[in-house]
Amino acid sequence: MFEKVLITPHLILNKFFGYSNFREGQLEIVNNILAKKDTLAILPTGGGKSICFQIPALIFGQNKNDPRTTIVISPLISLMKDQVDALNRKGIPACYINSSMSKNKQQEIYKLIESDPTKNENSIKIIYVSPERLKSTKFISVIKKIKIGMLVVDEAHCISQWGSDFRPHYKQIADFYQHINKDIVKVAFTATANKIIQDEICTTLKLTNPFIYLKSFSRNNLFLEVIKCESETIKNLVMLRILDQHSGQTGIIYCATRKATENLVNFLQTFNIFATRYHGAVDKKEKEEIQNSFINGKIKLIIATNAFGMGIDKSDVRFIIHYQIPGNIENYYQEIGRAGRDGKPSNCYSLFYVDDIKIQMSFAQNNKESSVQTKINLQKLQQIYKLFKTKECRTNIILNYFGEATQKRCHNCDNCKEQVFKHKEPKHALLTKVSESEMALIKKLLLQKYMQKKPTTFLTDTEICYLSVIKPNNKIDSMKIPGLGTGWANKWWKTVAPVINTK
């Protein structure tokens, strides 16, 4: 794999990953791992954490005097596969073992793991497994035959009940240490961990005097905006305007429920906007097809639950819309973090309709959870609710939540923009694109058309806005607008159309 040269992090970075320089913090993390220091690294989504453990793994694996294998614990099967496929394409021997594989395939992998690295330079350097695999007697028996150099826990916030994706098996990772050599480096990575979660990760994984790297959670290229919507109809109209503004760009709309993703896809189709839904009940093969099409640019708009995003490496996502309030700040931060990974300006919109809080309340009070977990869920929901309601800098609230104290305004959220530009808040979200003057003009024209009959008796402000923005070309299209049915179209379409289309 390597000629007789000094193997350095920079050499591997260039040879296998094609980069000339490390990103901020990466080399510091790599060097501490190579110095055999237990490490906890908190890097924002898209911060390049994989390189931080893959490079040390290669160096440990290529040590001719004492070659060692790295185990990576990952929560998602799809994430393991994507990482291993990417490594294998670079010529790096890596594998994964999970429950989706046949017994014969697993046996093949075990034989590869057992092969003598001193005689075979293509022996496995990195093994990806789920935390549940660490309990397998077969896996333990194979691992006992080789030397482990590093144990990596990815998405380490899953250890904590305070984390957004608590996985009980993550709590038992330290039990596995008894089956492997003692002189391993223990490393944990996460994108979202406040001080409580950081302490719990270090304690649970038994990290010894760990080096802790905490990169700023601030994402200066993301503009955060919360738009208050008085109804579901207004929320849909605001969403349509946002999509019109970002026409041709790549984006993700996050919903709280599977049903909402399905409904939104159908709703957008009536306005000739193509989108694909993604949630936990989608067939595994279809999920892979959707992910690949999204990464390759064949699909521009995904409507998803929080099942979508982890491990999706796409740099040019230009906008994120939270159609419903997420359950906690961790999920919100991870999801907006999928935008603008290329460093270019990107927008993150949250459509805040207060009734949506009921959905997350029902999730938080799920009877399957313990009373302790229910209390934690409700506290987290209260924190995201405050983030959406605040008039203060939204970025500061997020940073303070993750233990990064700051009082300086970000000038990159709607609240800061209003402070800087003295922006007058519109009466409601509808008027962010259809101005009051436009509304007045439409009403005036309608009033002229219908003489004594006021336009509000047969069209609400919301419906006028829909007509003004969408400009349906015919009676059938007008019937697709929320609130306007067959009866309205038959009675009013011929006379309203000229007013709307000549406005």
Side-chain angles (χ1 to χ4, degrees):
M1 186 180 292
F2 292 98
E3 298 79 12
K4 293 182 178 180
V5 295
L6 178 64
I7 302 172
T8 66
H10 278 96
L11 175 68
I12 295 177
L13 181 72
N14 185 260
K15 179 179 175 68
F16 290 100
F17 299 96
Y19 301 119
S20 301
N21 297 298
F22 284 96
R23 292 186 193 176
E24 179 188 349
Q26 285 181 324
L27 184 58
E28 189 178 0
I29 295 168
V30 168
N31 284 338
N32 274 277
I33 293 172
L34 292 175
K36 305 293 181 69
K37 290 183 181 179
D38 287 355
T39 298
L40 169 60
I42 300 106
L43 291 168
T45 302
K49 63 182 177 179
S50 298
I51 279 178
C52 295
F53 62 79
Q54 288 171 352
I55 287 178
L58 278 175
I59 293 176
F60 291 147
Q62 286 300 124
N63 186 334
K64 293 190 180 297
N65 298 321
D66 186 22
R68 298 193 176 208
T69 306
T70 291
I71 296 175
V72 180
I73 298 165
S74 178
L76 295 176
I77 290 175
S78 60
L79 190 58
M80 292 182 213
K81 183 180 183 303
D82 291 344
Q83 294 266 325
V84 169
D85 288 348
L87 288 169
N88 288 341
R89 284 194 297 270
K90 298 179 195 306
I92 298 170
C95 70
Y96 63 90
I97 306 168
N98 60 49
S99 56
S100 69
M101 302 167 72
S102 67
K103 294 293 183 184
N104 288 340
K105 184 63 178 176
Q106 288 184 31
Q107 199 58 41
E108 283 180 33
I109 298 297
Y110 285 137
K111 285 181 180 178
L112 283 174
I113 292 171
E114 290 176 325
S115 65
D116 188 345
T118 61
K119 296 177 182 177
N120 178 14
E121 69 170 13
N122 291 318
S123 62
I124 297 297
K125 304 294 186 292
I126 307 175
I127 307 167
Y128 280 78
V129 295
S130 69
E132 291 80 4
R133 179 65 49 178
L134 302 183
K135 295 289 184 181
S136 162
T137 53
K138 175 62 178 177
F139 180 73
I140 291 170
S141 69
V142 170
I143 293 301
K144 281 182 175 180
K145 298 174 184 178
I146 63 174
K147 274 192 173 182
I148 303 301
M150 176 171 55
L151 188 138
V152 179
V153 181
D154 198 9
E155 307 295 345
H157 61 275
C158 295
I159 284 170
S160 174
Q161 281 188 296
W162 278 93
S164 58
D165 301 294
F166 175 55
R167 291 272 293 269
H169 280 90
Y170 264 73
K171 284 276 193 189
Q172 302 166 26
I173 290 173
D175 296 344
F176 180 70
Y177 299 166
Q178 63 184 303
H179 304 300
I180 55 180
N181 44 287
K182 306 302 179 188
D183 55 340
I184 62 165
V185 187
K186 301 183 288 292
V187 183
F189 287 87
T190 182
T192 51
N194 58 23
K195 188 63 170 66
I196 295 172
I197 297 174
Q198 291 171 36
D199 290 344
E200 191 170 352
I201 290 170
C202 292
T203 301
T204 305
L205 293 179
K206 298 180 181 178
L207 303 186
T208 307
N209 298 320
F211 163 69
I212 298 177
Y213 180 84
L214 176 59
K215 186 176 180 179
S216 174
F217 286 90
S218 180
R219 292 286 304 278
N220 295 327
N221 65 316
L222 302 184
F223 186 82
L224 311 184
E225 184 173 4
V226 176
I227 303 170
K228 184 180 178 182
C229 302
E230 293 89 342
S231 69
E232 193 87 12
T233 300
I234 290 175
K235 188 168 67 168
N236 287 337
L237 179 58
V238 173
M239 176 185 62
L240 287 171
R241 292 196 178 130
I242 292 170
L243 294 176
D244 179 60
Q245 181 182 337
H246 291 279
S247 178
Q249 295 181 340
T250 299
I252 306 170
I253 301 176
Y254 279 106
C255 299
T257 66
R258 296 171 180 177
K259 183 179 179 181
T261 68
E262 302 279 357
N263 289 343
L264 268 192
V265 167
N266 294 332
F267 173 76
L268 291 177
Q269 279 179 350
T270 64
F271 298 104
N272 299 315
I273 298 172
F274 175 77
T276 302
R277 91 293 185 239
Y278 187 106
H279 52 67
V282 174
D283 176 76
K284 179 187 171 185
K285 185 179 179 182
E286 187 182 355
K287 279 182 181 176
E288 289 181 5
E289 290 173 354
I290 292 170
Q291 288 174 0
N292 291 334
S293 296
F294 183 70
I295 290 169
N296 296 333
K298 293 179 181 177
I299 293 175
K300 290 288 188 182
L301 182 61
I302 295 281
I303 302 177
T305 62
N306 61 6
F308 182 79
M310 191 180 287
I312 303 297
D313 187 13
K314 187 166 178 64
S315 63
D316 63 343
V317 175
R318 288 279 75 86
F319 67 95
I320 301 289
I321 300 174
H322 277 95
Y323 183 77
Q324 292 159 322
I325 187 171
N328 51 64
I329 290 177
E330 288 96 338
N331 280 352
Y332 173 75
Y333 180 78
Q334 281 198 331
E335 287 156 10
I336 64 172
R338 276 142 203 165
R341 291 189 179 186
D342 55 7
K344 295 180 181 179
S346 303
N347 293 82
C348 303
Y349 307 93
S350 298
L351 309 186
F352 182 39
Y353 175 40
V354 72
D355 278 14
D356 288 340
I357 202 81
K358 295 174 185 176
I359 300 169
Q360 294 296 348
M361 284 283 286
S362 68
F363 291 158
Q365 295 171 323
N366 189 333
N367 291 328
K368 294 179 182 179
E369 305 276 14
S370 67
S371 58
V372 173
Q373 189 62 51
T374 297
K375 184 178 179 181
I376 291 171
N377 291 344
L378 290 171
Q379 286 177 325
K380 285 178 169 290
L381 183 56
Q382 187 176 35
Q383 288 161 335
I384 188 75
Y385 179 77
K386 285 180 179 178
L387 173 65
F388 279 21
K389 290 282 287 184
T390 188
K391 295 295 182 184
E392 300 301 315
C393 172
R394 298 191 198 279
T395 301
N396 280 358
I397 290 176
I398 293 171
L399 297 183
N400 289 329
Y401 177 81
F402 288 116
E404 190 176 334
T406 180
Q407 296 299 321
K408 187 178 178 182
R409 282 189 171 271
C410 71
H411 304 311
N412 223 28
C413 72
D414 50 354
N415 288 341
C416 285
K417 181 181 177 183
E418 288 180 14
Q419 290 289 325
V420 173
F421 298 104
K422 307 296 182 185
H423 177 69
K424 183 181 177 183
E425 187 174 353
K427 284 183 180 179
H428 54 61
L430 281 171
L431 303 182
T432 56
K433 190 169 181 180
V434 176
S435 66
E436 291 184 54
S437 60
E438 287 179 300
M439 288 285 286
L441 177 59
I442 294 169
K443 288 182 179 181
K444 182 180 178 180
L445 290 169
L446 286 170
L447 189 59
Q448 290 172 353
K449 197 80 177 175
Y450 297 109
M451 304 302 289
Q452 302 301 317
K453 188 181 284 291
K454 293 182 179 179
T456 50
T457 60
F458 58 88
L459 280 176
T460 65
D461 281 6
T462 301
E463 290 158 357
I464 291 172
C465 286
Y466 265 112
L467 287 164
S468 176
V469 172
I470 296 160
K471 291 186 174 62
N473 293 317
N474 51 59
K475 183 170 72 173
I476 294 173
D477 284 348
S478 75
M479 289 161 53
K480 296 174 183 177
I481 291 173
L484 306 185
T486 306
W488 180 91
N490 288 333
K491 187 174 182 181
W492 297 110
W493 172 248
K494 285 184 179 179
T495 46
V496 169
V499 175
I500 296 299
N501 291 321
T502 59
K503 187 267 304 181

